[in-house]
């Protein structure tokens, strides 16, 4: 797989009993660290929509290839020198419609049907993308900040959805809410959100024209 919003795989190095995975160098580190270290003073609305759009483009490509990432989160999106966001860490990726163990997955980023039944699809990735959007617009806060980890599954299963982060545009929050629909089939596709995010990106660019 190769796409401008996926971290590029270069090759493998076999040395003694070790195997080294070589990828392109992403000089600005993970998206979550980037958001936390710079915060509201240095990250603009334009930066936020660009990160969201870039990540969605990478995920839409995976969607067309029928690949499930299974561990999408801001910590697994890396930022290049020219501030392009790229999806990385494919250690848990599987073919479409995978059913398997979910015990090692991060509860706060994983869709209810994956946690309860071990069912994964591009729709479970969409749930995670909704959480990632929340991370972007909260400048890297940990999701469900006021709910103990042990209670997250119960709250989410009963229909609880996080509130919009401070300053989050209504149209972006609506995308989050749709991504967190308890019925997987009702969640949007990455292709749909890519179009909507592109429109937001254009509007934001026009707003920030100097």
């Amino acid at each position: 797989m190769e796409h401008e919003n996926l971290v590029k795989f270069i090759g493998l190095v076999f040395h003694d009993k070790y195997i080294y995975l070589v990828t392109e160098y992403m000089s600005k580190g993970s998206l979550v660290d980037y958001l936390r270290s710079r915060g509201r003073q240095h990250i603009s609305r334009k930066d936020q929509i660009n990160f969201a759009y870039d990540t969605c483009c990478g995920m839409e490509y995976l969607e067309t290839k029928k690949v499930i990432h299974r561990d999408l989160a801001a910590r697994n999106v890396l930022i290049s020198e020219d501030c392009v966001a790229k999806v990385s860490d494919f250690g848990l990726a599987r073919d479409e419609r995978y059913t398997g163990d979910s015990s090692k997955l991060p509860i706060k980023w994983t869709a209810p049907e994956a946690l309860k039944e071990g069912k994964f699809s591009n729709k479970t990735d969409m749930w995670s993308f909704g959480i990632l959007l929340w991370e972007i617009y909260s400048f890297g806060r940990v999701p469900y900040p006021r709910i103990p980890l042990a209670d997250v599954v119960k709250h989410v299963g009963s229909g609880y959805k996080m509130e919009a982060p401070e300053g989050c545009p209504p149209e972006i929050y609506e995308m989050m809410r749709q991504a967190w629909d308890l019925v997987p089939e009702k969640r949007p596709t990455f292709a749909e959100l890519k179009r909507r995010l592109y429109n937001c990106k254009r509007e934001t660019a026009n707003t920030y024209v100097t």
Side-chain angles (χ1 to χ4, degrees):
M1 295 183 297
E2 194 164 337
H3 187 273
E4 62 186 356
N5 295 114
L6 301 183
V7 171
K8 187 175 182 179
F9 169 71
I10 295 173
L12 294 171
V13 176
F14 296 89
H15 181 69
D16 293 334
K17 60 181 178 180
Y18 300 104
I19 300 174
Y20 298 92
L21 185 70
V22 184
T23 68
E24 68 176 303
Y25 179 56
M26 303 293 284
S27 64
K28 295 190 175 177
S30 75
L31 175 56
V32 71
D33 289 341
Y34 190 90
L35 292 165
R36 290 173 181 173
S37 63
R38 289 159 179 80
R40 296 178 185 273
Q41 290 185 326
H42 301 286
I43 295 177
S44 68
R45 185 70 62 83
K46 192 174 179 180
D47 294 327
Q48 290 173 307
I49 193 64
N50 284 344
F51 293 149
Y53 179 75
D54 288 350
T55 305
C56 190
C57 288
M59 293 305 299
E60 189 243 358
Y61 174 78
L62 294 184
E63 188 175 63
T64 64
K65 296 294 184 181
K66 302 188 186 307
V67 171
I68 316 164
H69 188 281
R70 296 209 309 148
D71 196 15
L72 182 62
R75 63 182 172 275
N76 290 333
V77 174
L78 301 181
I79 308 299
S80 70
E81 181 63 30
D82 52 355
C83 283
V84 175
K86 304 189 183 190
V87 180
S88 70
D89 199 341
F90 291 87
L92 294 176
R94 296 290 186 275
D95 291 336
E96 189 181 36
R97 297 285 172 191
Y98 172 78
T99 301
D101 182 27
S102 62
S103 61
K104 296 180 181 178
L105 295 176
I107 288 173
K108 291 186 175 184
W109 283 263
T110 304
E113 70 274 12
L115 289 172
K116 293 176 181 177
E117 304 168 53
K119 292 182 178 178
F120 298 87
S121 67
N122 294 119
K123 297 298 188 180
T124 57
D125 277 349
M126 175 52 67
W127 179 286
S128 303
F129 183 72
I131 303 293
L132 186 146
L133 281 179
W134 191 91
E135 290 183 276
I136 291 174
Y137 283 89
S138 66
F139 297 89
R141 292 182 69 193
V142 176
Y144 305 100
R146 290 180 292 277
I147 301 176
L149 182 61
D151 295 336
V152 169
V153 174
K154 179 179 69 176
H155 277 72
V156 169
S158 64
Y160 173 81
K161 292 179 174 64
M162 286 187 287
E163 297 176 357
E166 181 183 349
C168 178
E171 60 271 27
I172 298 292
Y173 183 56
E174 182 57 26
M175 294 181 206
M176 295 180 203
R177 290 183 58 84
Q178 291 174 5
W180 300 331
D181 198 301
L182 290 176
V183 181
E185 292 73 23
K186 290 186 178 180
R187 297 170 202 157
T189 64
F190 283 102
E192 290 168 29
L193 281 203
K194 179 182 172 182
R195 288 191 293 271
R196 291 162 63 182
L197 285 167
Y198 179 73
N199 290 335
C200 293
K201 181 177 160 113
R202 276 182 25 182
E203 291 169 10
T204 304
N206 292 336
T207 302
Y208 281 85
V209 168
T210 56

